Amino acid sequence: MSQDPLPFHEDPPWYKGVVLAVVVIPFLLTIWAFTTLWGQHAGWLELSLLIGMWIITGLGISVGYHRMLTHGAFQAHPAVRATFLAFGSMAMQDKPSDWAATHKRHHAHSDQEGDPHSPLEGFWHAHFGWLFRDRFVRSGPIYEQIRSDPIVRMIDRNYFHLILAGLLIPALIGGLVTLSWMGLWTGLLWGGFVRVFLGHHITWSVNSVTHMFGTRPYETTDKARNNAIVALLGFGEGWHNNHHAFPRAAYLGHAWYQIDPGRWTIKALEKLGLAWDVWMPDEDTRRNRRTST
Ligand SMILES: [Zn+2]
Ligand SMILES: [Zn+2]
C-alpha cells in the first residue's frame, strides 16, 4: 500500500492529559461561572468580552483556519493571513497546520473508514471523543505542504503564546476597565474560559451535529447536513452539506437566507483589497448538484 498522505499521529500519553485539561477545565469554569457569578460579578463588561472574543476567535477558525488555510478558498495579504491564523490559535483548537491537516483528512475520508471524527462511531466520539484517540494529522506530505508557508510556521511556533494572549487580553481589559482584581478575574473567566468552552462546542458540533441533524440539499458521499443553529453560532460553518458539496467554496451559505458571517468577512476583506481570488462555484454548477431546494 502506498504511503498515507495524511497519516494519523501517535501522541505521547501525557498529551492526552493536556487534552483532557483543555476539555474539562473550561467546562467546569463555565458551570461555575453560570451558577455562582451571574448577577453578582457578571454584567455588560463580561458579556461584551465574551461576545467580542467569541467573534474574533470564531472568525479566526472559520475564515482563517478553515476556509483560507485548509481549503485555499481565497488568497490574502500576509498581514491578514497572520492575523486570522493568530485569532484562530486563541480558540485553543490546535496549531493551524495540525488543524488544517486533520481537517483535510476528514474531507478525504468523510464518514468512511479513516475519518478522524465521524458520528458513525458515535455522537460523542465525533464531538470530542476522537481528541483522545490519536486522530490528529501532524506529519506527512500534505502537512509539510501546509507548513511551507512561513506565516503558518510562525503562527505554529507561537501557538502557546497566542493561547495565553487570548486569555490575558480579556483579563487585562476587565482589570483596567474596573480597576480591580475582580474585574481581571471575571474578564479572564468570561472572555477567556467560558468563551473557549463555547467555541469548542460550536466547532465540535460541526463534526457531530451537522453530520447527523439537518437537511441535505446536495447529494454528497458523506452524511453532511445543513443545520441553521450551528450555522448561526459558527459564523456560517453549519451549512455543512453545502461545504462538503463544494469544499473549496469561500461562502458556505449558498442562498440569501443562509446567514454566513464568514462570507461577509471575506467580502469586506476583498473590498479593502486585502483578499482576492475568492473562489465560488457559479449558480448553474450549484443548481446541477442540488437534489432539493
Ligand atoms: Zn464534515
Ligand atoms: Zn472543510
Side-chain angles (χ1 to χ4, degrees), residues 54 58 61-62 66-67 123 127 198-215 224-241 243 252-253 258-262:
W54 163 63
I61 290 292
S62 175
H66 189 210
R67 306 186 203 201
F123 176 87
H127 201 65
L198 294 177
H200 275 168
H201 285 271
I202 291 164
T203 296
W204 297 342
S205 294
V206 177
N207 299 335
S208 57
V209 175
T210 66
H211 273 258
M212 291 177 84
F213 309 105
T215 57
R225 285 154 195 276
N226 284 344
N227 185 298
I229 296 167
V230 179
L232 278 175
L233 295 170
F235 301 92
E237 291 293 315
W239 308 118
H240 203 57
N241 176 256
H243 176 56
L252 304 193
Q258 293 178 335
I259 290 177
D260 181 6

Side-chain angles (χ1 to χ4, degrees), residues 103 106-107 110-111 115 117 206-207 210-211 222 224 240 243-244:
H103 185 68
H106 167 61
H107 279 275
S110 284
D111 295 316
D115 184 344
H117 43 62
V206 177
N207 299 335
T210 66
H211 273 258
D222 46 61
H240 203 57
H243 176 56
H244 272 267

